[in-house]
């Protein structure tokens, strides 16, 4: 078999079932190999930022490795931004980047570039097989690497002649390492901190934000009075009825310092110690209050779930977590506001939904509104790079075709990856896209206000570079252009009706929800 | 003044007039500085691929340095692909990439990444001022670097605290180096080659594809019988009445080998020796025929125009170039075809038009059809990365608001950077976008056919991953969603009427021209 088929068969043997792609000439033999390796399904997107964001969403929901197929350095470059989000999500994603034939690169043709340099930016390993015989083993090594806890992004660069040459064979998948356990001594020390009568916060993230971890944290909170806080941006959070609902760390330094006010100990598990998202003049970056001690229960990549369960058994052997009862907001009425759109979503959220939350400055009311909704998962932008929402929805829906996906996306985020709507239609994915449309980069206006509180940095609030209203974007027309049914809501009643209808019908829908910007 | 203002004032002093941007929080003080540095105009795009492609188009038409303002590594990453095209076009583009504050990066916040690694992929220099005092000098150095012949892309990474801190001052622009002259000895040797009675080809590119170089090449051809061939993809080509019309090198190896059949000498000036765009099994990369000698008249970056003028004076002192007389195709009738859409454009092309040619597999008839049209410029994708067309049109129109811009863009290319249409409307640019809509990645079908001619690589021609018809994209609706007037043409008569109307009215327009794919 040729190198292309050897690579694909190796990935298939290691659990890869979907290849998100926007291929070009140097990848044609890999596209050809998809015809014989029927265990792997090709999903086409028309822009690489959609390919990579979809792979990320797929990996987060499927719990399986995702794969992308990208065209040389320039195609890979378009996909890097959402791979940055994947890297920050610790999603296991294998990139296959087609390159020129090994004998061709020395001539530096127009599409030639240093692909390994781009892959290096993602900090994961890179392999480049030299011949067809190397394709299988390199693919197996990269697949094992992406599955290594906590999960990462890694890359196989496939020269075109390695793909088209014979001499390949599928390699057996390597068994990925398991997450290292936390030392017993660390557990006993932190248990002692929790048993002491001192104000303590427990900051949790990563794998702890699903049922087992949340319940363990809830037990610890109930038994010891520790304040539990969730990291700000997470790859996957389980929420709703029967789970504890913990607040997230704030976005601004003063918010976090308020949340941690009076705390003597900060215990950190499955995430990093609280830091500010951006820096501001005269504000600290590290947001642990002065005088408080930080204790690392589990580093990112360690087995945080086992550690937290063990800790709960030590300090809260007979205590149950406080969990939310089923409760939903009443269906609101009147013009849409920052509060009531979230109430509509919470009131009507179906069972086992997957929420994609890229609502940015419009999303402040969402977490409280949905706390007592039926059990659901929330995927967020983890690396701060806008434009992840619509592609994450693609991947989540491919991974879980039986679950309703609700993508809540701010208008400023749509324009990076709008062609995700095309793939949603092509694959007839069950996605309800709600565009939170305030016709502005409102987050930048808000940040500007944050800066201009400081002397010497004042500037007007009305800079035209934050304004998305000239021209206004017709999101209904945009969705229709890709063949997607769409509607516009300006009142809560309209949103409720349109949201219910979209959920009741198969395939993707879009609702343009006109929301006033934050004051 | 703060570092942000010092940087902008330095760029303004060195001739930067436009800053294409999609800013974020770390760039807010640069956005603020735009309010006081009124010599620089900010142009907003909603996606970084549009920002960078527009900067490229601006630089190619304005003959002045272009500048971009981008948000951290992830925003820069989205812009890299069209910067790859800029690099291959040798366009002078200064990227300003905002970074976290110097004191903040050590905490590795979510948006943190190795921005210098991305800048390094573009091969141009990178500066990162450490304080406000360094902003002006670093900007001056980068500006001088991008203007160095043949022109390049380079980057200033601006930490947020360098932008917001006082202590900056504008630095004086450095005088860029001029292009090194070609040795007299090389000129005499190549003149001797041309005077010998041996079949010779002259391959020209880069700055030779404008009036002076084309006329000089035409004189040499007329006097010596040398075959003149243009490089395949060029940053800017002057064409039309009164200029010689030389064929471009072919895309496939066999085409180029046919063009150079029987040639004993290949003289190369302002470009590289002919190579294949992609590699194919059993085909050479270097396309100089066996036994032929290659002579480099002027390397890329040398003063190729002066060299060719000098060479023409040596071998063709009294010979005039053969130039095209005004002639245009008759306005065709009937359903649109690969030939007649180009005839419509050629028949109606206005004076001093700028054509953006991203027509890919639909554009084979364009060059011949427009050879006798009024004088115009053509900008092409230089690095092979799709999605450059609509952004190049933005930049060209910003650079030359008094010239009509005609963007000929294949449907497969639109979806990378469709939001360029939004910026076209926002800035009310005089652009007529013609989408060549064959509902396919037809170039990939064609390439697939090219591979499957070889034994052992056959595969069906109908792979769904090349198909853009499921769902069909409504380009009229897409343009309308951004507030742009648009229409659909399926016959030559409709295209002629809509093209004339679009050119007659100010502001941007879009025509969806439904073209059958190449056979």
């Amino acid at each position: 078999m040729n190198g292309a088929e050897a690579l694909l068969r190796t990935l298939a043997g290691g659990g890869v079932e979907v290849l998100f792609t926007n291929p070009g000439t140097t990848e044609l033999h890999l596209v050809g190999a998809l015809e014989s390796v029927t265990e792997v399904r090709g999903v086409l997107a028309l822009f690489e930022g959609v390919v990579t964001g979809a792979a990320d969403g797929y990996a987060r929901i499927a719990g399986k490795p995702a794969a992308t197929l990208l065209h040389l350095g320039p195609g890979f470059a378009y996909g890097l931004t959402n791979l940055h989000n994947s890297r920050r999500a610790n999603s296991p994603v294998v990139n296959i980047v087609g390159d020129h034939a090994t004998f061709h690169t020395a001539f530096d043709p127009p599409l030639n570039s240093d692909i390994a340099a781009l892959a290096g930016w993602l900090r994961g390993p890179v392999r480049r097989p030299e011949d067809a015989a190397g394709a299988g083993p390199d693919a197996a090594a990269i697949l094992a690497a992406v599955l290594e806890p906590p999960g990462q992004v890694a890359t196989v660069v496939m020269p075109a002649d390695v793909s088209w040459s014979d001499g390949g064979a599928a390699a057996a998948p390597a068994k990925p390492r398991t997450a290292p356990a936390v030392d017993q001594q660390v557990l006993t020390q932190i248990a002692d901190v929790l048993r002491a009568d001192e104000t303590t916060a427990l900051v949790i993230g990563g794998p702890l934000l699903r049922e087992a971890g949340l319940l363990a944290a809830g037990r610890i909170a109930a038994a010891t009075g520790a304040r539990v806080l969730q990291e700000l941006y997470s790859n996957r959070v389980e929420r709703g009825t029967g789970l504890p609902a913990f607040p997230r760390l704030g976005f601004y330094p003063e918010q976090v310092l308020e949340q941690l006010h009076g705390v003597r100990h900060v215990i950190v598990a499955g995430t990093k110690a609280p830091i500010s998202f951006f820096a501001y003049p005269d504000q600290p970056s590290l947001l642990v209050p002065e005088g408080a001690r930080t204790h690392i229960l589990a580093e990112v990549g360690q087995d945080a779930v086992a550690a937290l369960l063990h800790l709960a058994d030590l300090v809260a052997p007979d205590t149950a977590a406080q969990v939310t009862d089923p409760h939903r907001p009443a269906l609101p009425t009147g013009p849409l506001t920052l509060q009531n759109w979230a109430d509509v979503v919470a009131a009507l959220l179906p069972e086992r939904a997957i929420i994609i939350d890229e609502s940015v400055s419009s999303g402040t009311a969402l977490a409280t509104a949905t706390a007592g909704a039926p059990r659901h998962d929330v995927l967020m932008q983890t690396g701060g790079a806008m434009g992840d929402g619509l592609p994450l929805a693609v991947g989540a829906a491919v991974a879980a075709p039986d679950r309703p996906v609700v993508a809540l996306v701010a208008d400023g985020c749509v324009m990076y990856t709008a062609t995700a709507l095309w793939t949603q239609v092509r694959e007839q994915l069950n996605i309800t896209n709600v565009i939170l449309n305030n016709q502005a980069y409102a987050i930048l206006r808000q940040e500007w206000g944050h800066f201009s509180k400081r002397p010497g940095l004042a500037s007007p609030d009305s800079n035209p570079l934050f304004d998305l209203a000239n021209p206004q974007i017709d999101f209904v027309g945009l969705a229709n252009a890709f063949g997607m049914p769409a509607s516009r809501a300006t009142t809560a009643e309209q949103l409720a009706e349109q949201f219910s209808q979209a959920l009741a019908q198969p395939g993707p829908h879009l609702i343009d929800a006109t929301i006033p910007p934050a004051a």
Side-chain angles (χ1 to χ4, degrees), chain A:
Chain A
M1 74 180 70
N2 67 20
E5 188 176 336
L7 177 134
L8 272 194
R9 288 209 183 280
T10 301
L11 295 182
V16 170
E17 297 174 4
V18 183
L19 186 66
F20 296 93
T21 184
N22 191 25
T25 298
T26 46
E27 295 77 45
L28 284 181
H29 291 79
L30 286 151
V31 173
L34 274 176
E35 293 179 4
S36 47
V37 186
T38 51
E39 306 92 308
V40 180
R41 163 184 167 204
V43 173
L44 180 64
L46 302 184
F47 168 62
E48 288 78 2
V50 178
V51 171
T52 55
D56 187 7
Y58 174 88
R60 296 196 208 178
I61 291 297
K64 295 173 188 163
T68 71
L69 175 61
L70 302 164
H71 184 44
L72 288 141
F76 191 26
Y78 265 148
L80 284 181
T81 304
N82 278 338
L83 289 171
H84 169 88
N85 283 323
S86 300
R87 168 166 87 84
R88 294 293 186 179
N90 299 122
S91 297
V93 177
V94 175
N95 299 306
I96 307 160
V97 182
D99 197 2
H100 284 298
T102 51
F103 59 83
H104 198 52
T105 46
F107 298 94
D108 195 26
L111 274 164
N112 191 46
S113 74
D114 183 357
I115 299 173
L118 296 180
W121 182 68
L122 296 166
R123 301 200 190 176
V126 191
R127 291 280 184 112
R128 181 189 175 91
E130 285 176 15
D131 52 29
D138 279 351
I142 288 297
L143 188 55
V146 303
L147 291 169
E148 202 168 290
Q152 65 180 334
V153 176
T155 306
V156 182
V157 181
M158 276 291 280
D161 55 337
V162 172
S163 279
W164 78 49
S165 295
D166 281 334
K175 201 176 154 75
R177 283 185 243 167
T178 52
V182 169
D183 282 352
Q184 183 66 40
Q185 195 187 346
V186 171
L187 286 165
T188 10
Q189 280 168 358
I190 291 179
D192 288 343
V193 169
L194 282 163
R195 288 190 192 108
D197 189 22
E198 295 190 313
T199 313
T200 299
L202 171 60
V203 177
I204 58 174
L208 296 176
L209 302 182
R210 296 171 70 176
E211 186 174 32
L214 292 169
L215 289 173
R219 288 168 59 202
I220 293 167
T224 70
R227 286 178 215 170
V228 181
L229 292 157
Q230 287 182 204
E231 64 184 354
L232 179 58
Y233 295 116
S234 309
N235 58 3
R236 180 174 175 175
V237 184
E238 210 166 347
R239 300 189 83 246
T241 301
L243 291 175
F246 301 121
R248 287 163 68 193
L249 287 167
F251 182 83
Y252 288 111
E254 55 270 35
Q255 293 171 333
V256 178
L257 291 173
E258 177 64 30
Q259 288 173 312
L260 296 178
H261 185 73
V263 159
R264 299 292 307 278
H265 301 276
V266 178
I267 301 168
V268 180
T271 183
K272 299 196 302 184
I275 55 166
S276 180
F277 192 84
F278 287 117
Y280 304 93
D282 312 318
Q283 289 275 23
S285 293
L286 184 65
L287 301 178
V288 175
E290 263 184 71
R293 283 187 57 203
T294 302
H295 310 267
I296 306 297
L297 173 63
E299 303 271 9
V300 174
Q302 284 189 294
D303 191 347
V305 175
L308 200 70
L309 289 175
H310 198 149
L311 187 65
D313 289 343
L314 289 176
V315 302
D318 305 311
T319 314
Q322 194 180 340
V323 299
T324 58
D325 292 324
H327 65 278
R328 301 205 196 214
L331 270 176
T333 58
L336 282 175
T337 66
L338 280 172
Q339 176 64 50
N340 70 13
W341 79 260
D343 289 342
V344 171
V345 169
L348 300 172
L349 194 72
E351 298 280 339
R352 301 187 66 238
I354 299 168
I355 291 180
I356 312 293
D357 180 8
E358 200 180 29
S359 53
V360 196
S361 67
S362 295
T364 45
L366 186 67
T368 304
T370 53
R375 199 69 76 85
H376 58 279
D377 285 291
V378 181
L379 309 190
M380 305 172 201
Q381 212 189 62
T382 46
M386 284 180 160
D388 213 2
L390 298 176
L392 281 174
V394 168
V398 168
D402 58 328
R403 296 181 64 182
V405 175
V406 176
L408 308 170
V409 182
D411 57 342
C413 298
V414 173
M415 289 299 108
Y416 297 84
T417 48
T419 62
L421 300 175
W422 184 86
T423 301
Q424 292 184 8
V425 173
R426 181 176 174 92
E427 300 288 332
Q428 280 298 298
L429 302 172
N430 294 321
I431 301 172
T432 301
N433 302 284
V434 180
I435 309 304
L436 305 161
N437 183 2
N438 59 22
Q439 301 185 10
Y441 279 151
I443 184 70
L444 293 187
R445 289 211 175 119
Q446 180 181 315
E447 288 280 299
W448 192 283
H450 211 76
F451 276 112
S452 54
K453 282 180 204 158
R454 273 94 195 169
L457 290 162
S459 190
D461 205 19
S462 57
N463 194 295
L465 294 181
F466 311 146
D467 165 36
L468 306 186
N470 171 27
Q472 287 187 26
I473 298 165
D474 171 7
F475 291 103
V476 173
L478 184 72
N480 290 163
F482 296 122
M484 185 181 295
S487 56
R488 182 170 295 111
T490 58
T491 67
E493 293 90 332
Q494 289 167 347
L495 179 60
E497 190 191 339
Q498 294 168 16
F499 190 65
S500 303
Q501 283 184 0
L503 289 166
Q505 293 163 0
H509 298 76
L510 182 141
I511 303 168
D512 174 346
T514 301
I515 312 276

